[in-house]
Structures are given as C-alpha cells and as structure tokens.
Amino acid sequence: MANSVYVKFEVPKEIADKVYEALEIARDTGKIGKGTNEVTKNIERSNVALAIMAEDIEPPEIAAHIPLIAEENDIPYAYLPTKDELGEAAGLNVGTASACIIDAGEGQELIDEIVEKISELKE
C-alpha cells in the first residue's frame, strides 16, 4: 500500500483565498461538513469534493489521518493557515481543525480550479 503516503504541501495564498471563497459559497449554496469527525465520515463515504485542514492544529495528530484517507479515496485536500479562519469560512464562531465541501453549490468551477492547482502543487 505504497500509495497511502500523503504529501504535505504549501498552499500559496492565492489558492488559500480561493479555498476560503469556495467554502463560503458551498456553505451558502451547497453543503459542507465541519469538524474532524464529520470530515472523516464523509471522506470514508467518498462524499467530498474537497477536504480542508488547518495548519495550526495542536496536537497535529487530531487531523493527521485526513490526508491519508483522502488519498485512499481519491479526494483532493488542501491546507489553510489557521483553524480560526477555517472555522469562520465554515460559518462557525470558533476555530475548527478541518472542514469539507460536500456539495460545491454555485462554487463548482472554483473547486475544479482549486483541485487542478493542488494536483500541480503535489507533483
């Protein structure tokens, strides 16, 4: 199972901003999942357009499994700098370690663009 190695990659600000925007659009016009348990369940069901994790999680083990199961289920994932910003984009008053876009709503083109750019970053 050599494929289960995941790549931690730097997400440039330009892409991170698009990820925030896509998450906000999906929150308002589609469907999102918030929190590591919800994200994990949806990835395992292959029910996710994009999984998103915060880089400043303590301890990092909280969401360390997400890229692994995302890779196994062929689901794209991205990192954002802070859990507070991720929580805010997800519509929460608190930070969150992870979130996912289940239905992109009106943001599908944006998601497609993000996924393409992320796959280039991982090469």
Side-chain angles (χ1 to χ4, degrees):
M1 227 195 204
N3 287 5
S4 67
V5 175
Y6 74 95
V7 182
K8 172 102 165 71
F9 51 91
E10 202 61 41
V11 176
K13 183 172 179 356
E14 168 207 350
I15 298 174
D17 289 344
K18 289 180 190 234
V19 172
Y20 286 126
E21 187 184 345
L23 186 58
E24 288 172 347
I25 292 170
R27 178 190 76 206
D28 295 338
T29 65
K31 184 174 182 201
I32 65 170
K34 300 173 273 213
T36 303
N37 289 345
E38 239 180 270
V39 173
T40 301
K41 275 188 271 189
N42 281 293
I43 290 174
E44 287 171 344
R45 294 179 188 138
S46 293
N47 204 13
V48 173
L50 181 66
I52 310 152
M53 290 144 298
E55 289 179 3
D56 67 344
I57 314 166
E58 283 301 323
E61 293 78 27
I62 294 170
H65 66 285
I66 290 179
L68 296 170
I69 61 172
E71 290 279 351
E72 285 173 9
N73 290 284
D74 206 24
I75 289 172
Y77 56 94
Y79 298 92
L80 293 179
T82 72
K83 58 185 185 244
D84 291 340
E85 291 174 302
L86 181 53
E88 186 181 324
L92 300 168
N93 295 330
V94 293
T96 185
S98 56
C100 64
I101 297 174
I102 297 166
D103 174 357
E106 293 170 10
Q108 188 59 54
E109 280 179 31
L110 192 54
I111 299 265
D112 294 342
E113 183 186 340
I114 292 165
V115 168
E116 188 179 316
K117 289 202 180 334
I118 287 171
S119 66
E120 290 168 11
L121 286 175
K122 289 169 63 179
E123 287 174 2

